Amino acid sequence: MRWRAEKHTPYLLLSPAILTILFVVAVPLVFSLYTSLTPYRLTKPDSINQFIGLRNYERLLDDTKFWWAFGRTILFLTIALNLEFLLGLGIALLINRITWGQRTLRTIMMFPMMFSPILVGFQFKFIFNDNIGILNNALQSLGLTDGAIPWLVERDLAMFSIIFAEVWMSTSVFAILLLAGLFAMPKDPLEAAKVDGCTPWQVFRHITLPFIMPFAYIAMTIRSLDVARAYDIVDVMTGGGPAGRTELLWTLIARVGYDNAKMGQANAMAYVSTILSILFTWYFFTKLVAARRYMGGAA
Amino acid sequence: MRKSFAFLASAAILPLMLTGIANATDYGKFDGYTLRVKLIGGAQYEPLYAEIAKWETATGAKVEILSRKNHFELDREIKQDIAAGTLDWCVGSNHTSFAPQYGTIYRDLNGVIPAETLAGFDALAIKNSTVDGRLVQLPRHSDISNLFYKKSLFEDQANKDGFKSEFGYELAPPETWDQVKDQAMFFADAPNFYGTQYVGKDEAITGRFYEMLVANGGALFDEDWNPTFNSEAGVMTVQWFKDLYDAKAVPAGVLNYLWDDTGLGFASGTVALNLDWAGWASFFNDPANSKVAGDIGLVRAPKGAGGKRTGWSGSHSFSITETCDNVDAAASFVTFLTDHDQQMVEARKGLLPTRTQVWTDAKKEFADAGNDFLVTVFDTYKVSMSEDAFTPPLIEPWIEVSNEIWPRLQAAILGEMEIKAALDEAAEATRTIMEDAGYL
């Protein structure tokens, strides 16, 4: 009897956590999966009781708008995350070399991530405004252009603008985590490499970079999960337009789910797009494990 | 004799005065009650909310503002409340364009608001607030657009001569949208100055397209709800937007513009002609905010090819939920927010009242204060409200239909699609929505 009680103790102790996860994560997930199999409209709550099987998913297969948004979101994620990594790495390396005022600079560096994405969106919307925005006015005043550049309208520029805003807001996440990696790095290998006559580039390429790569992949994993915060930026700056040129999965899903009130269809879109999140997260996680194995860490 | 006449006169006036005082103060007593409300937020809506304390003092009730968001965010929140069954509040901001979506969550105010109170409102505003025979909202202020222009441009002799030699007729504030196009192209000098501008996305551009479609003799739907906007009039309408865009007579980023962008653009002094809401009038003429202050002309919205003026209109309003636990308090509150004095507060900001008496009183107040600009604004908008105003179709899927139309309008204006093909595609998508919604 006593043996049996001891056997169950861990489950008993874990049960609050398991129940919490069930209610906070599993139930909403299952519920939204179910609604994706219904024609559920927010304004007609009874429609949740009508089961239509995979009809919403079948519609998605023919929905070119959705697949364009899907592809565009992959492009957005790939460019934004890589740029954030490269810039974050550069900033971390520079700050790591500073001997005076480093704390102040670290604090200043974190300012952009303290802004709400909506504010960042408004800030860049007015910076990039073609008529009264400061960027065009500055370019015209400096004589670099004599026309109004339609930053938020022209196909490539519009994508560039929203990526720029996203990179501005989130690069510091990479910089902070990579800086933590640089701080944790032992000095002995660096000094040994210098004694052996390695060039700074060789030291960086073969010692510093492999050491901080696990930190980079942790940052990538975190960012790939919370990058959907960029929805607010895109919504404010372009709303996914014009003519769908900056339409990402998040703006499309929000419009279908809330503006059109078709939550069943929006949830089907969200479930398909979840594949994207899982793929990105899985990719970065395997890279993290590989990088740690390379460094002799956990297998 | 004179004394007794004075006595009789005062005896006659006294009951009227007392009635007036009673009307101004008799909002009932709701001591200890807390009225839960969700209101539209934003600079032009806030001055009214500063008056709420007066209602609280008069009734003994408290007002708890649960939300104060822009209308699109508020719309999302209300839809979530419907879905979650959490309509545990009494009064919500509403709009004639949004109201049909909400089904029967809002109470029919006929019978809740006394008929004599409703009689003080403009009959058209009340009619437009009615959905399926139910008065689901009490109109707060109305919206319609007229054409603001930079006056000095039209007085300049060089402009007059240049325009006449180029277009063959006199330069004068435009009477038709074709003239607007000519003048916009004449004045444009991108990137320093633009002829005109338009809002370029969301329901905003759908609305502008819709009103010009009607002015050009077209219609969004036929009487059986078949989409008909992919007609010749529809193509002509989109062509107007595209021609201005291609000629750089409008700012290059116009397809990303909403109301703030066009309003601030005109106030920056870099735009000649600007179709806009009355709510911007005071801002445009305020030297602290606007470079065109003192140099603004205003004419009624021009006519389209069909001889009709554009007049997309609607009203901001207040509704009372069916689930409200104190309908009397809610009715008292919305009556207070739309009464004479509160509408005067909004009228002073340039917002268009929905009570007929306020039109007269506000205009008199502006005239007495020597504010000729606001007198002109009220005169112009009064005519357009009574003669030109029409709402978008008051149907449940209006926003969904709009979401199918505006991206195609943008694609056509940018040249990504042929105009007819874009409208055909939008009409097909609209047909599916109307079929799903049971209209077809």
Side-chain angles (χ1 to χ4, degrees):
Chain A
M1 193 65 189
R2 192 181 160 196
W3 173 83
R4 211 180 259 176
E6 276 179 7
K7 186 185 167 193
H8 291 116
T9 305
Y11 298 105
L12 202 66
L13 292 173
L14 282 174
S15 60
I18 292 170
L19 281 174
T20 307
I21 288 172
L22 265 179
F23 276 101
V24 174
V25 180
V27 171
L29 274 178
V30 171
F31 179 72
S32 57
L33 178 63
Y34 166 72
T35 59
S36 73
L37 306 172
T38 71
Y40 182 40
R41 297 182 72 100
L42 287 178
T43 48
K44 292 181 178 162
D46 290 344
S47 55
I48 202 169
N49 300 319
Q50 191 185 342
F51 187 76
I52 57 166
L54 296 173
R55 176 118 193 252
N56 285 329
Y57 291 92
E58 285 163 13
R59 274 192 174 183
L60 279 191
L61 290 176
D62 298 330
D63 188 346
T64 47
K65 268 190 299 185
F66 173 78
W67 292 109
W68 271 109
F70 194 92
R72 217 175 278 119
T73 309
I74 292 176
L75 182 72
F76 176 87
L77 284 174
T78 307
I79 296 177
L81 292 182
N82 279 296
L83 274 178
E84 285 167 23
F85 166 64
L86 289 174
L87 291 171
L89 179 64
I91 292 170
L93 288 169
L94 287 173
I95 290 184
N96 191 41
R97 294 182 69 87
I98 290 174
T99 50
W100 184 85
Q102 195 190 61
R103 276 189 191 178
T104 313
L105 266 178
R106 278 196 327 241
T107 310
I108 292 171
M109 185 180 73
M110 288 167 73
F111 280 170
M113 60 192 274
M114 294 175 191
F115 281 88
S116 113
I118 291 181
L119 287 179
V120 174
F122 276 112
Q123 171 188 308
F124 280 100
K125 183 183 172 187
F126 285 105
I127 286 174
F128 285 120
N129 182 295
D130 60 294
N131 187 18
I132 53 175
I134 54 168
L135 182 57
N136 268 358
N137 278 311
L139 292 174
Q140 286 161 15
S141 301
L142 292 169
L144 297 174
T145 175
D146 56 358
I149 302 171
W151 294 99
L152 299 173
V153 169
E154 204 275 324
R155 184 184 298 278
D156 297 330
L157 289 179
M159 271 305 269
F160 164 82
S161 302
I162 60 173
I163 289 173
F164 187 91
E166 160 61 20
V167 168
W168 182 87
M169 186 179 72
S170 301
T171 292
S172 49
V173 177
F174 277 87
I176 292 288
L177 285 167
L178 295 177
L179 195 57
L182 289 172
F183 284 165
M185 196 171 156
K187 302 288 177 229
D188 297 353
L190 296 175
E191 282 161 11
K194 277 179 194 163
V195 170
D196 289 348
C198 290
T199 62
W201 168 248
Q202 285 171 323
V203 172
F204 173 75
R205 172 71 187 82
H206 296 290
I207 300 175
T208 310
L209 195 59
F211 186 86
I212 60 171
M213 277 320 278
F215 293 88
Y217 287 124
I218 287 172
M220 289 270 190
T221 311
I222 293 171
R223 289 289 301 127
S224 67
L225 288 171
D226 83 339
V227 72
R229 285 200 321 149
Y231 161 74
D232 288 321
I233 294 178
V234 182
D235 193 43
V236 169
M237 285 178 71
T238 63
R245 286 174 172 180
T246 56
E247 186 86 292
L248 302 180
L249 283 172
W250 314 308
T251 47
L252 179 66
I253 291 170
R255 189 174 308 114
V256 172
Y258 291 107
D259 296 354
N260 296 355
K262 293 164 114 174
M263 196 47 88
Q265 196 183 337
N267 275 336
M269 289 178 171
Y271 262 90
V272 175
S273 65
T274 303
I275 297 167
L276 193 62
S277 293
I278 291 171
L279 281 178
F280 266 84
T281 309
W282 172 79
Y283 174 75
F284 291 133
F285 191 75
T286 50
K287 294 296 260 182
L288 168 64
V289 171
R292 291 186 69 190
R293 191 182 292 129
Y294 179 79
M295 293 303 298
Chain B
M1 185 63 193
R2 186 175 286 176
K3 228 176 193 179
S4 52
F5 177 77
F7 173 77
L8 281 173
S10 13
I13 289 168
L14 189 62
L16 286 177
M17 287 172 67
L18 288 174
T19 312
I21 291 166
N23 281 345
T25 55
D26 185 15
Y27 287 104
K29 281 285 170 197
F30 309 101
D31 287 318
Y33 177 69
T34 300
L35 185 72
R36 291 156 63 80
V37 302
K38 294 197 172 186
L39 303 175
I40 183 175
Q44 61 177 327
Y45 308 106
E46 300 294 330
L48 177 62
Y49 306 148
E51 306 293 310
I52 289 176
K54 290 180 186 167
W55 183 80
E56 290 179 321
T57 308
T59 62
K62 284 275 163 214
V63 175
E64 185 183 354
I65 301 177
L66 303 171
S67 271
R68 209 157 167 165
K69 299 175 173 169
N70 75 50
H71 227 315
F72 292 99
E73 286 179 28
L74 190 64
D75 172 61
R76 289 180 177 192
E77 189 173 307
I78 291 170
K79 284 171 180 165
Q80 289 178 69
D81 284 345
I82 297 171
T86 51
L87 288 161
D88 54 352
W89 40 275
C90 273
V91 173
S93 284
N94 208 341
H95 191 278
T96 43
S97 292
F98 285 76
Q101 302 178 92
Y102 302 131
T104 55
I105 68 162
Y106 290 126
R107 197 170 281 269
D108 183 357
L109 298 180
N110 286 306
V112 175
I113 307 292
E116 57 270 27
T117 305
L118 296 178
F121 287 83
D122 178 69
L124 187 62
I126 291 290
K127 183 181 160 228
N128 290 339
S129 300
T130 304
V131 179
D132 295 331
R134 301 169 74 245
L135 180 65
V136 293
Q137 54 202 322
L138 198 57
R140 166 184 176 173
H141 61 250
S142 293
D143 278 333
I144 192 167
S145 298
N146 282 312
L147 194 69
F148 294 89
Y149 61 92
K150 202 169 169 185
K151 216 160 46 177
S152 52
L153 292 173
F154 288 79
E155 290 163 354
D156 182 90
Q157 194 56 46
N159 281 342
K160 286 181 180 179
D161 296 342
F163 184 85
K164 186 160 188 189
S165 70
E166 192 173 340
F167 293 94
Y169 63 96
E170 297 291 339
L171 177 66
E175 183 64 13
T176 69
W177 283 108
D178 281 343
Q179 291 173 1
V180 171
K181 187 160 91 176
D182 290 346
Q183 292 176 3
M185 289 180 177
F186 175 75
F187 288 128
D189 179 25
N192 302 313
F193 197 81
Y194 296 98
T196 186
Q197 53 186 352
Y198 45 80
V199 280
K201 64 178 180 181
D202 296 347
E203 194 218 4
I205 190 174
T206 310
R208 287 292 185 234
F209 164 73
Y210 162 60
E211 65 179 343
M212 201 169 287
L213 175 74
V214 172
N216 283 336
L220 277 180
F221 298 98
D222 66 14
E223 54 192 21
D224 297 320
W225 296 110
N226 292 296
T228 55
F229 55 82
N230 50 339
S231 58
E232 201 178 314
V235 173
M236 183 200 300
T237 302
V238 181
Q239 191 69 52
W240 184 90
F241 288 93
K242 182 168 170 51
D243 287 348
L244 286 170
Y245 189 81
D246 290 345
K248 293 187 167 60
V250 294
V254 81
L255 289 175
N256 200 39
Y257 280 16
L258 282 176
W259 310 116
D260 280 356
D261 304 283
T262 50
L264 293 173
F266 185 64
S268 75
T270 59
V271 178
L273 299 142
N274 182 49
L275 185 75
D276 226 321
W277 311 104
W280 281 98
S282 295
F283 184 87
F284 290 154
N285 207 37
D286 178 1
N289 295 314
S290 168
K291 289 183 181 165
V292 288
D295 185 23
I296 308 168
L298 176 66
V299 287
R300 267 168 85 185
K303 293 173 185 168
K308 193 173 165 60
R309 292 181 192 277
T310 52
W312 174 32
S313 177
S315 297
H316 283 270
S317 58
F318 295 109
S319 294
I320 299 175
T321 56
E322 284 283 2
T323 48
C324 179
D325 60 350
N326 192 334
V327 178
D328 291 341
S332 163
F333 183 64
V334 299
T335 306
F336 168 81
L337 288 179
T338 55
D339 78 2
H340 178 278
D341 291 353
Q342 289 11 280
Q343 291 215 349
M344 284 295 290
V345 170
E346 298 216 294
R348 287 181 195 115
K349 299 287 174 193
L351 296 169
L352 305 179
T354 53
R355 283 179 173 274
T356 44
Q357 186 61 41
V358 179
W359 280 99
T360 311
D361 294 350
K363 188 183 156 188
K364 183 175 182 310
E365 187 177 295
F366 301 146
D368 291 346
N371 192 340
D372 294 339
F373 176 70
L374 274 183
V375 170
T376 307
V377 168
F378 262 60
D379 279 344
T380 310
Y381 278 84
K382 188 170 188 188
V383 175
S384 54
M385 275 308 291
S386 60
E387 295 183 23
D388 310 329
F390 51 89
T391 65
L394 300 179
I395 51 171
E396 185 245 327
W398 165 243
I399 299 296
E400 200 179 340
V401 166
S402 162
N403 283 340
E404 291 296 344
I405 295 175
W406 66 261
R408 270 91 174 194
L409 295 179
Q410 291 182 328
I413 293 167
L414 287 167
E416 282 190 4
M417 294 180 83
E418 288 294 322
I419 295 174
K420 181 74 170 89
L423 290 177
D424 284 345
E425 196 177 283
E428 198 51 44
T430 300
R431 173 174 292 283
T432 306
I433 292 170
M434 297 303 277
E435 283 170 357
D436 287 352
Y439 285 85
L440 288 174

